[in-house]
């Protein structure tokens, strides 16, 4: 157990729907990162939060949004889902914003039918 | 931004042999290079990392080398065991406000008994 908790583990939904993925970082970690892992594109950085504030954006679609709450857990919201959004979504945490050492959760597997 | 290329995409070795995975990066300012191991159904787990002020680092059967001039780094696994079978990702830290990791495309390592 890495200490980073992601829910749900699996999610199946239909095109056009909206889902929310949840992440609780390791105890004491202030920074949360979201990554998307699809078969043909490896691990793609989506977005990072540090202590409730957005710090960096990667290849995140406008249909996707995220936030980090005062208790430091984070949610990734995916809307108007398309077949191509099917992927593993990983959350990772680190102790400080500029720290490179990331601890990953087990991921949430999203299947869009 | 940073671009990381990883080779080979698949690698099969006999148990007890060595395995080498190579990565190149594009941003000469990158200064942190971790390697992650991802087992089936799990999130990536950090196995070793190296910073740009070091040329080589070893941890038991695993070693990483870095050539800053050529902008490439490699993972070496000696005396491979079946439990080493997994997908291995290299990554590089791109300088910036959040210094998020850019990952290579992954190498599926299979250790044959």
């Amino acid at each position: 157990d890495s200490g980073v908790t992601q829910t749900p583990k699996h999610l199946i939904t239909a095109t056009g729907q909206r889902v929310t993925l949840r992440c609780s970082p390791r105890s004491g970690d202030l920074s949360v990162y979201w990554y998307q892992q699809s078969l043909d594109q490896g691990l793609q950085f989506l977005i990072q939060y540090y202590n409730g504030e957005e710090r960096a954006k990667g290849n995140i679609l406008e249909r996707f949004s995220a936030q980090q709450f005062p208790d430091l857990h984070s949610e990734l919201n995916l809307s108007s889902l398309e077949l191509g959004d099917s992927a593993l979504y990983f959350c990772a945490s680190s102790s400080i914003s500029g720290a490179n050492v990331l601890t990953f959760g087990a991921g949430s597997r999203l299947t869009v039918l | 931004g940073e671009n990381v290329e990883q080779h080979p995409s698949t690698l099969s070795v006999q148990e007890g042999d060595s395995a080498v995975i190579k990565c190149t990066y594009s941003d000469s300012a990158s200064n942190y290079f971790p390697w992650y191991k991802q087992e089936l159904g799990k999130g990536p787990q950090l196995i070793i990392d190296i910073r740009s002020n070091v040329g080589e680092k070893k941890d038991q059967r695993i070693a990483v080398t870095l050539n800053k001039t050529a902008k490439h780094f490699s993972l070496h696994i000696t005396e491979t065991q079946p439990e080493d079978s997994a997908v291995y990702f290299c990554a590089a830290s791109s300088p910036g406000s959040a210094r998020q990791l850019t990952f290579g495309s992954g190498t599926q390592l299979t250790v044959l008994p």
Side-chain angles (χ1 to χ4, degrees), chain A residues 37-53:
Chain A
Q37 185 178 41
S38 50
L39 279 176
D40 58 348
Q41 293 202 5
L43 281 157
Q44 298 291 317
F45 169 69
L46 295 179
I47 197 164
Q48 183 216 355
Y49 281 83
Y50 175 73
N51 204 21
E53 293 188 6

Side-chain angles (χ1 to χ4, degrees), chain A residues 32-88:
Chain A
V32 170
Y33 302 73
W34 286 97
Y35 281 82
Q36 179 191 56
Q37 185 178 41
S38 50
L39 279 176
D40 58 348
Q41 293 202 5
L43 281 157
Q44 298 291 317
F45 169 69
L46 295 179
I47 197 164
Q48 183 216 355
Y49 281 83
Y50 175 73
N51 204 21
E53 293 188 6
E54 181 185 305
R55 279 300 174 95
K57 263 187 176 181
N59 300 318
I60 188 166
L61 300 172
E62 286 190 10
R63 300 183 286 108
F64 296 180
S65 64
Q67 55 184 325
Q68 185 179 28
F69 295 86
D71 67 353
L72 301 178
H73 91 271
S74 177
E75 293 181 357
L76 179 66
N77 301 296
L78 315 174
S79 62
S80 302
L81 286 169
E82 302 175 359
L83 296 177
D85 297 327
S86 295
L88 268 169

Side-chain angles (χ1 to χ4, degrees), chain A residues 12-39:
Chain A
I12 301 174
T13 188
T15 54
Q17 296 298 304
R18 172 188 170 95
V19 298
T20 297
L21 309 180
R22 181 187 169 103
C23 169
S24 293
R26 266 188 339 168
S27 178
D29 284 357
L30 300 179
S31 198
V32 170
Y33 302 73
W34 286 97
Y35 281 82
Q36 179 191 56
Q37 185 178 41
S38 50
L39 279 176

Side-chain angles (χ1 to χ4, degrees), chain A residues 33 35 37 43 45 48 55-56 88 90 97-98 100-102 104-106, chain B residues 32 36 38 41-44 46 49 51 89 93 97-101 103:
Chain A
Y33 302 73
Y35 281 82
Q37 185 178 41
L43 281 157
F45 169 69
Q48 183 216 355
R55 279 300 174 95
L88 268 169
F90 286 104
S97 178
N100 311 108
V101 182
L102 304 186
F104 282 81
Chain B
Y32 176 68
Y36 283 82
Q38 185 177 19
K42 298 184 178 179
L46 178 70
D49 56 12
R51 298 191 183 271
F89 291 95
S93 175
S97 62
R99 303 177 72 187
Q100 67 270 15
L101 295 175
F103 284 85

Side-chain angles (χ1 to χ4, degrees), chain B residues 42-89:
Chain B
K42 298 184 178 179
Q45 179 184 11
L46 178 70
I47 56 171
I48 195 168
D49 56 12
I50 191 168
R51 298 191 183 271
S52 59
N53 58 346
V54 176
E56 182 174 359
K57 184 176 178 181
K58 190 173 181 180
D59 182 5
Q60 300 183 341
R61 296 186 297 108
I62 293 173
V64 57
T65 59
L66 171 65
N67 184 327
K68 287 177 57 181
T69 303
K71 290 191 284 187
H72 68 70
F73 56 113
S74 300
L75 177 70
H76 304 253
I77 306 174
T78 59
E79 300 173 17
T80 54
Q81 302 167 3
E83 51 265 39
D84 293 330
S85 296
V87 179
Y88 291 82
F89 291 95

